[in-house]
Amino acid sequence: MKLALGPLLYYWPRQSVLDFYAGLADSPVDSVYLGETVCSRRHELRLDDWFEVGHMLAAAGKEVVLSTQGLIESESDLKALRRIVRQTDFRVEANDMGAVRLLAEAGVKDWVAGPTLNIFNPHTLQLLIDTGATRWAVAPELSGATLAELRAGLAAPIETEVYAYGRLPLAHSARCFTARHFNLQKDTCEFRCLSIMDGITLRTREGEPFLTLNGVQTQSARVHNLLGDLPAVRAHSEVLRISPQGADTARVVALFRAALDGDTTPAEALAASRAWMVAEPCNGFWHGRAGVEQYVAA
Amino acid sequence: MTVRPPIELVCPAGSLPALKTAIDHGADCVYLGFKDATNARNFTGLNFDPAQMREGIAYAHARSRKVLLALNTYPQAGNWSSWTAAIDRAAEFGLDALILADPGLMAYAAKTHPGLRLHLSVQGSATSYEAINFYHERFGIQRAVLPRVLSLAQVENVIANSPVEIEVFGFGGLCVMVEGRCALSAYATGESPNCNGACSPGKHVRWEDTPQGMETRLNGILIDRFAEGERAGYPTLCKGRFEVNDETYYALEEPTSLNTLELLPELARIGIRAIKIEGRQRSPAYVTQVTKVWRAALDKLRAGPESFTVLPAWMAELNKVSEGQAHTLGAYYRPWK
């Protein structure tokens, strides 16, 4: 069972990002996804900087994957996308159908089908496998039961990656909600999301944490955490994705590794993870329920 | 110089009476869905059974108008055959086009019914010509509906680089998030537009009169609270009032409708092929009013784009049926972002 570190969804200062990845070089993570997937205005690190981080991690024995932007709007977004598709140093995670088209056109035969491709049935997944996808990062919305059924419908298995830890990326917009909070427009946002390490919590009028504002992305306020569900999760996947958070990501990775290696029980691991989580846990999606729920199977 | 065909007016038909009134008041096309999870407006009391659909198609075709079928949710392994059965029925009924989001279904439709015209649904989340051209090359789609996230210049760039006809949203409820990429409803209620065809579904909604005011909840989550005399809105979760850093406001979007009437000459200039009116969940009265105004506006545009002006009476009429009686140009207008 492999552990993957998902792309960094927040906008951190350049040195924080470099330090973060340097700190993961000797952690027990197998794959690392790099690159800006949320907002094209974020450029503390340019593509060449990401390559540098990638080479450092590859030298440390990690598999490196370059992720493409989820929402493509402009010609310059496409230009950045083409550069990622054309490079040959690292595998690519395709996060929209434009990326899939370009990968197919370039004849690339070993890429990752990203979580925003809307793959909900074996027919669509098979189509992407036939186009060159060799790993599938499952949309967090999919339940374990649906995942099992979907995999059973494939002609041949594909390496499957489940979103196992982190705030849930729930929606993308053209509008920047962080800029809106500060009464700014996206085009002149003053990069206010820079250094908000884990996004801004949106609460209900009863003070209950509900969502997280992360620029044009809306996330859950709760942390999706499948540590307690590991036996079922590993029965249906080969890779677990951990999404970076502001502090203690390496500790979370280590906890997953310990739980997978049997050094701790799933229940103990879930309890231990509370010390490192930025908010309360939830796992409803995995159980086919509202994602916000922390569901404990009877 | 090639003469472009006039922009088609595509109106919502949530029911047979809505379909008839849309046709009677000048819709070029109507779009509708079956009474099940195969379409993204799967609400109680809406949509068509087979007999109603046959009647609706006959009514439209007798008047030389088109009927488009929305099959724009994503089937799963266990219920795949319900969606393919719907495609087979559509072919049998003689619908003018299918509006699909799922690539697997497109492959099925293109192979099984090669004569059937395919449109890419807004739920397909294709925001660039590279994505749209993918569906064109693989499945022969002839039209794509753009998500409500691009500026006018970006829409123009898509049109310039794709052989596919482009349809954009012109009026109605404004989805703030990229359609087909939003799991907010699934997070709060377990039911999503992508898989179940409904956002913030009615069975999870509760209105409660409390000492703090009228509260609207979605699966127990407080979406908004209204002072006395304030009109309580439906708890669509991206249009609620929330607290962010101790400030209470519409953190994502106000309850407001998209209205692009004033952009019509620009939309025509950049070459859009069709304008979509949102609102299959709305009443036949809404469809009547909106269709009338947009028909008049498109006819005026056709008579001469140089002399096109938006009549105040049109705006007044549309504002009456807008959410919160307010309107926005959404993402077409950059500062909205």
Side-chain angles (χ1 to χ4, degrees):
Chain A
M1 192 90 190
K2 293 184 206 163
L3 282 179
L5 189 71
L8 174 61
L9 301 176
Y10 305 107
Y11 195 34
W12 298 346
R14 181 186 169 81
Q15 197 55 49
S16 305
V17 178
L18 298 176
D19 293 347
F20 173 76
Y21 285 109
L24 284 156
D26 59 357
S27 79
V29 74
D30 304 286
S31 291
V32 183
Y33 290 76
L34 299 177
E36 177 56 53
T37 59
V38 176
C39 175
S40 57
R41 287 180 52 76
R42 296 175 170 181
H43 43 52
E44 284 282 295
L45 269 74
R46 305 278 179 178
L47 192 54
D48 289 334
D49 299 316
W50 287 115
F51 280 126
E52 228 169 276
V53 174
H55 287 298
M56 179 274 291
L57 288 168
K62 312 296 179 197
E63 184 215 23
V64 173
V65 184
L66 284 179
S67 290
T68 70
Q69 201 171 293
L71 172 57
I72 303 282
E73 292 180 284
S74 66
E75 197 60 50
S76 64
D77 292 348
L78 284 174
K79 201 173 145 196
L81 175 61
R82 289 191 186 102
R83 271 197 73 190
I84 292 174
V85 168
R86 270 203 302 265
Q87 60 79 38
T88 51
D89 292 8
F90 306 115
R91 212 171 168 193
V92 172
E93 178 185 61
N95 282 320
D96 94 313
M97 284 299 180
V100 172
R101 178 180 190 250
L102 291 170
L103 285 160
E105 199 179 56
V108 181
K109 285 290 175 201
D110 178 25
W111 45 271
V112 182
T116 49
L117 287 184
N118 279 339
I119 298 165
F120 291 105
N121 61 70
H123 304 270
T124 295
L125 181 54
Q126 190 63 52
L127 214 137
L128 294 169
I129 293 170
D130 296 343
T131 308
T134 46
R135 181 188 287 177
W136 168 40
V138 180
E141 188 182 343
L142 229 62
S143 72
T146 309
L147 173 60
E149 211 173 34
L150 199 159
R151 295 216 317 164
L154 292 173
I158 180 171
E159 190 178 42
T160 303
E161 178 174 321
V162 164
Y163 194 83
Y165 184 92
R167 282 181 154 159
L168 290 159
L170 294 173
H172 276 85
S173 177
R175 170 178 274 184
C176 176
F177 302 110
T178 303
R180 179 173 164 84
H181 177 66
F182 293 107
N183 293 316
L184 297 166
Q185 289 170 7
K186 186 163 96 179
D187 284 349
T188 50
C189 68
E190 299 172 9
F191 305 103
R192 289 294 182 98
C193 60
L194 190 58
S195 81
I196 301 176
M197 297 297 274
D198 294 294
I200 309 174
T201 302
L202 173 154
R203 296 165 191 275
T204 69
R205 292 171 78 178
E206 291 173 313
E208 199 59 44
F210 178 33
L211 300 173
T212 297
L213 306 182
N214 175 37
V216 296
Q217 183 182 62
T218 305
Q219 305 177 336
S220 62
R222 290 184 167 222
V223 178
H224 181 70
N225 184 338
L226 297 185
L227 269 171
D229 302 284
L230 275 189
V233 175
R234 43 184 333 173
H236 303 302
S237 61
E238 291 77 34
V239 189
L240 299 182
R241 178 176 295 205
I242 294 167
S243 189
Q245 63 183 31
D248 304 315
T249 303
R251 289 191 159 102
V252 174
V253 170
L255 202 47
F256 267 88
R257 191 73 266 167
L260 288 174
D261 292 348
D263 298 340
T264 165
T265 68
E268 286 166 359
L270 177 62
S273 68
R274 285 181 177 266
W276 318 123
M277 289 169 60
V278 296
E280 288 297 299
C282 64
N283 65 355
F285 276 148
W286 177 259
H287 295 279
R289 309 176 74 89
V292 65
E293 281 185 51
Q294 175 59 33
Y295 183 72
V296 183
Chain B
M1 195 182 117
T2 52
V3 179
R4 283 201 190 119
I7 295 173
E8 282 185 356
L9 179 58
V10 184
C11 292
S15 64
L16 193 53
L19 179 148
K20 289 181 176 172
T21 194
I23 297 289
D24 292 347
H25 291 93
D28 297 304
C29 315
V30 291
Y31 63 102
L32 42 68
F34 284 117
K35 278 185 186 294
D36 56 30
T38 60
N39 79 91
R41 280 288 181 281
N42 179 23
F43 289 111
T44 316
L46 274 194
N47 303 319
F48 289 71
D49 64 29
Q52 292 165 332
M53 198 172 288
R54 282 186 191 279
E55 188 182 338
I57 294 167
Y59 191 86
H61 284 179
R63 290 154 185 83
S64 304
R65 316 300 172 77
K66 294 177 200 160
V67 183
L68 318 177
L69 178 69
L71 284 171
N72 53 354
T73 46
Y74 291 87
Q76 300 183 354
N79 55 27
W80 171 257
S81 58
S82 309
W83 272 256
T84 53
I87 291 178
D88 296 341
R89 242 180 303 159
E92 182 202 323
F93 286 4
L95 282 144
D96 297 283
L98 292 188
I99 308 170
L100 297 175
D102 184 66
L105 279 185
M106 282 186 204
Y108 174 84
K111 186 165 171 253
T112 318
H113 307 287
L116 205 49
R117 186 181 156 96
L118 303 182
H119 292 184
L120 174 63
S121 167
V122 69
Q123 296 292 124
S125 314
T127 54
S128 74
Y129 58 83
E130 293 289 2
I132 291 166
N133 292 347
F134 172 82
Y135 294 98
H136 178 66
E137 288 159 4
R138 297 294 177 100
F139 318 112
I141 64 153
Q142 295 182 54
R143 183 178 293 182
V145 187
L146 292 182
R148 284 159 271 192
V149 294
L150 301 182
S151 67
L152 268 180
Q154 288 165 346
V155 176
E156 184 173 13
N157 190 44
V158 169
I159 293 171
N161 290 285
S162 177
V164 175
E165 296 175 359
I166 296 299
E167 177 174 320
V168 297
F169 276 84
F171 183 83
L174 176 69
C175 229
V176 188
M177 306 302 179
V178 188
E179 291 94 336
R181 294 274 188 87
C182 181
L184 287 174
S185 178
Y187 179 65
T189 72
E191 292 184 57
S192 74
N194 273 349
C195 297
N196 310 90
C199 167
S200 311
K203 68 176 179 203
H204 295 284
V205 168
R206 237 170 51 223
W207 275 273
E208 270 175 342
D209 209 356
T210 75
Q212 292 86 41
M214 176 65 81
E215 293 182 346
T216 54
R217 287 176 190 271
L218 189 64
N219 198 19
I221 299 164
L222 182 65
I223 302 299
D224 210 345
R225 177 185 285 158
F226 302 86
E228 210 175 306
E230 223 182 339
R231 199 167 147 243
Y234 188 89
T236 305
L237 55 82
C238 60
K239 297 193 178 163
R241 274 178 290 198
F242 300 101
E243 292 172 10
V244 183
N245 289 334
D246 298 325
E247 200 186 320
T248 301
Y249 65 112
Y250 292 107
L252 304 172
E253 173 63 303
E254 287 86 6
T256 180
S257 288
L258 178 74
N259 182 356
T260 64
L261 212 49
E262 65 184 86
L263 300 178
L264 259 186
E266 266 300 279
L267 290 168
R269 185 189 64 76
I270 65 178
I272 66 141
R273 185 68 188 85
I275 286 264
K276 188 181 211 87
I277 307 297
E278 187 275 346
R280 277 189 288 149
Q281 73 284 18
R282 307 285 298 261
S283 68
Y286 162 93
V287 175
T288 305
Q289 276 168 302
V290 178
T291 306
K292 261 170 115 171
V293 171
W294 279 83
R295 179 75 272 154
L298 284 168
D299 287 348
K300 191 161 180 212
L301 180 77
R302 209 178 161 186
E306 311 76 28
S307 60
F308 179 87
T309 50
V310 175
L311 299 186
W314 294 344
M315 283 310 233
E317 200 63 29
L318 291 181
N319 277 344
K320 271 194 247 166
V321 291
S322 294
E323 212 180 332
Q325 281 76 53
H327 66 262
T328 170
L329 291 173
Y332 298 117
Y333 176 61
R334 286 197 77 99
W336 178 85
K337 295 182 174 184

